[in-house]
Amino acid sequence: MLNDEICKLRDKLNKSIEENASYDEIYKLSVELDELIAKFYKLKNC
């Protein structure tokens, strides 16, 4: 479930990069993705 969210957000981030979205938008998506990945690893190590 969390893995699916990570994949969707990663795809959204990649698309925004390809479409030359604003720096702020790319940064926001990147931070969100980092947070999801951290949450994934935290849950995995419990």
Side-chain angles (χ1 to χ4, degrees):
M1 190 162 149
L2 190 55
N3 193 36
D4 291 338
E5 290 180 54
I6 291 170
C7 289
K8 287 178 186 176
L9 190 54
R10 185 186 62 221
D11 290 342
K12 188 174 179 180
L13 174 60
N14 288 338
K15 185 176 180 182
S16 70
I17 293 169
E18 289 172 1
E19 295 176 349
N20 295 319
S22 71
Y23 173 82
D24 291 336
E25 179 65 20
I26 292 171
Y27 180 77
K28 177 180 158 274
L29 292 171
S30 180
V31 169
E32 288 177 28
L33 183 58
D34 288 346
E35 290 172 354
L36 279 179
I37 292 170
K39 185 176 180 181
F40 174 82
Y41 280 108
K42 185 177 180 181
L43 291 173
K44 187 176 178 182
N45 289 330
C46 287

